[in-house]
Amino acid sequence: MENFITLKNNQTIPLQDIPVLAYPEFLELNISFVKEDANHCVNYYGFPVLDTIKLICCIADDVKQKIYVSSSVIKKDRQEPITSFTARKLCFHLFERELHENFAIPYYDHPWLKPVRYPIDRPNQENTIANYPFYQIHSEELHEVGVGPIHAGIIEPGHFRFICNGEQILHLEIQLGYQHRGIENLFISSKKILQRNILAESIAGDNVVGHTTAFVQLWESLIGFRPDNKLVYERTLALELERLAMHTGDLSAVCTDIAYQLGGAVFGRLRTPIINFMQHWCGNRLSKGLIRVGESNFPFTMALANELTQVLDAYEPDFMEMYKEMKSLPTVLARLEKTGVITQKQAHRVGLVGMAARASGLSRDLRSSHPFGLYPGVLHEPVIKNHGDVSSRIQIRKEEIIQSIIYIREWLKNIPEQEKQPTVLPMPTANTFTISLVEGWRGEICHCAVTDLNGDILHYKIKDPSFHNWLAIALSVRNNEISDFPICNKSFNLSYSGHDL
């Protein structure tokens, strides 16, 4: 009998089918999985079962399109310390920090065992946001610079603590968790499917389609519902429109941070018709209300297809002209090239996902490795760059915008017919485990759920791509000047709210 079970994306299995291993065997198994470059951890978490903590680890094999799931059980009030995954594989560091914060699991060799989100029900109430243990270097030649947690823009709180030698950054530590919302627990306490659907839309405001698609795929897998071609079509189309809009907005933000006002204005203007189209489609510029379990309240029509074609026809030449102009300016290139570098080795060690990983030479794109929606029919080829700098992350956005437009134009040629939707959906299956992976514009989204004896949600786990990637920002700015931080930060554009769940 194997000591793990193999799943496909959006597959539901009986919880009892996940092998339960002794912790040392559980550790060795999952460490051995991530030794392969094509494998990475998509989720690792725990939930209480009586007086124990059940640990579940999910490792994705991006070549074989499989997910390897295993589990272990440890005592809730365990006193003797245990070995951490992180001491041997850095990519597990935040997963284990969260486990320690939530359940006081005593890792004896974790190199950076600090709080993550400060949930209200954390075992150690003495750990507060006010006494976060920042790393320090004592020297008369060095100084510290603090940015946040309150920012000039309308964004969530987050604190950045720099240790600098003059203008050079030696170390950056990023402290989040100021606005922990307890949204995972709300998925359990909210009993109506519409409430949970709206919660999914609220995980990260700039990634509504990505997270909501992950939720509806997961729920439909739980209840054994197979969405028709029209639903799959609309969700995938919306996902690529969200990618197109957010990438364009990020190009505007990077231009603004290097004081290239023309680029900031034009790219910002180009984003607007895309999100305005979403408002015409479903009544909300960020696509709230569009995606629902088992149904669609806003069917995509030929009239909408004609409108979208006109939007793209106007967008594409202006975008290409502006991008070409931006990349022709030596002053712009000097700010982007060789700034904020993350090497392929660093990307693999940290466990980067999404476009940030692809900019550093890692081919991590769920649209090809664990396809869903319309992507199995697309034969999607990830856009890969190898320099790992701000310029590479800009190029990724540009080429993915072109790629998205190609996909959308092809899909608009053949709109599926509306099929009759069921009036009543079944309840989820009891005692099951489900995983759903979606490649949002920022990267890999993972939702997992466990049901109880009655088929209700016992535990719900959300992982935003930012969870993997925040450490990369801290690494990217080392030995850069502090004035480079804004463009490094914007080139990743990670989510505070997606992290502070």
Side-chain angles (χ1 to χ4, degrees), residues 229-249:
N229 293 333
K230 182 78 167 180
L231 281 178
V232 172
Y233 177 93
E234 291 169 353
R235 294 167 185 176
T236 317
L237 178 65
L239 197 63
E240 289 304 319
L241 284 168
E242 184 172 72
R243 193 182 320 276
L244 175 57
M246 296 304 125
H247 279 354
T248 307

Side-chain angles (χ1 to χ4, degrees), residues 19-20 59 74 84 109 117 133 160 213 229 284 307 329 338 356 365 434 489:
V20 181
I59 305 294
I74 61 175
S84 71
D109 58 351
R117 292 174 173 145
F160 300 81
T213 299
N229 293 333
N284 185 279
E307 180 184 341
L329 298 175
K338 299 181 180 179
D365 191 326
T434 304
N489 188 26

Side-chain angles (χ1 to χ4, degrees), residues 7 22 38-39 70 73 86 88 101 104 157 206 215 226 290 341 348 393 427 441 449 459 466 478:
L7 277 67
N39 297 351
S70 57
V73 174
T86 308
R88 293 169 55 186
E101 180 177 45
D206 58 5
F215 167 72
R226 185 179 180 86
L290 177 63
V341 174
H348 186 258
R393 293 186 282 274
M427 284 290 294
W441 68 266
H459 189 264
S466 303
R478 287 187 177 178

Side-chain angles (χ1 to χ4, degrees), residues 249-284:
D250 281 355
L251 291 174
S252 173
V254 169
C255 288
T256 300
D257 273 349
I258 60 174
Y260 181 43
Q261 294 181 341
L262 179 62
V266 173
F267 287 129
R269 190 266 298 172
L270 287 172
R271 171 180 175 265
T272 301
I274 306 298
I275 59 176
N276 282 352
F277 172 79
M278 297 309 298
Q279 184 171 31
H280 192 192
W281 180 3
C282 67
N284 185 279

Side-chain angles (χ1 to χ4, degrees), residues 210-447:
H211 275 288
T212 311
T213 299
F215 167 72
V216 297
Q217 287 183 167
L218 179 144
W219 194 267
E220 288 168 354
S221 177
L222 276 175
I223 65 177
F225 174 83
R226 185 179 180 86
D228 62 36
N229 293 333
K230 182 78 167 180
L231 281 178
V232 172
Y233 177 93
E234 291 169 353
R235 294 167 185 176
T236 317
L237 178 65
L239 197 63
E240 289 304 319
L241 284 168
E242 184 172 72
R243 193 182 320 276
L244 175 57
M246 296 304 125
H247 279 354
T248 307
D250 281 355
L251 291 174
S252 173
V254 169
C255 288
T256 300
D257 273 349
I258 60 174
Y260 181 43
Q261 294 181 341
L262 179 62
V266 173
F267 287 129
R269 190 266 298 172
L270 287 172
R271 171 180 175 265
T272 301
I274 306 298
I275 59 176
N276 282 352
F277 172 79
M278 297 309 298
Q279 184 171 31
H280 192 192
W281 180 3
C282 67
N284 185 279
R285 298 206 300 172
L286 297 180
S287 308
K288 291 188 176 184
L290 177 63
I291 298 171
R292 291 289 180 262
V293 172
E295 63 179 355
S296 173
N297 294 323
F298 303 97
F300 194 78
T301 63
M302 184 57 70
L304 286 170
N306 292 335
E307 180 184 341
L308 180 54
T309 299
Q310 293 175 12
V311 170
L312 295 178
D313 286 346
Y315 171 99
E316 198 166 4
D318 287 0
F319 174 81
M320 295 304 297
E321 181 181 359
M322 185 65 258
Y323 187 84
K324 183 178 180 180
E325 176 69 17
M326 179 184 75
K327 294 291 283 187
S328 71
L329 298 175
T331 50
V332 171
L333 297 180
R335 295 291 284 121
L336 304 182
E337 294 179 347
K338 299 181 180 179
T339 301
V341 174
I342 291 290
T343 66
Q344 185 174 358
K345 182 178 180 180
Q346 286 176 314
H348 186 258
R349 286 194 68 215
V350 171
L352 283 195
V353 298
M355 62 181 183
R358 298 192 288 275
S360 296
L362 284 188
S363 183
R364 287 193 179 157
D365 191 326
L366 298 170
R367 292 173 290 175
S368 62
S369 61
H370 301 271
F372 57 96
L374 297 179
Y375 299 114
V378 170
L379 299 178
H380 173 72
E381 288 290 335
V383 178
I384 307 294
K385 301 297 175 182
N386 294 296
H387 293 102
D389 57 1
V390 172
S391 181
S392 289
R393 293 186 282 274
I394 294 304
Q395 292 175 62
I396 289 278
R397 286 177 168 87
K398 175 254 187 178
E399 293 188 28
E400 289 194 350
I401 284 171
I402 295 171
Q403 197 175 53
S404 294
I405 291 174
I406 292 171
Y407 291 163
I408 292 167
R409 287 191 186 279
E410 188 63 29
W411 294 335
L412 292 180
K413 296 176 183 177
N414 185 21
I415 304 172
E417 293 293 327
Q418 183 74 41
E419 298 181 26
K420 186 177 180 181
Q421 305 293 346
T423 55
V424 179
L425 295 173
M427 284 290 294
T429 309
N431 293 325
T432 54
F433 169 83
T434 304
I435 184 169
S436 178
L437 300 173
V438 167
E439 187 70 24
W441 68 266
R442 191 178 270 119
E444 175 184 292
I445 295 167
C446 179
H447 286 211

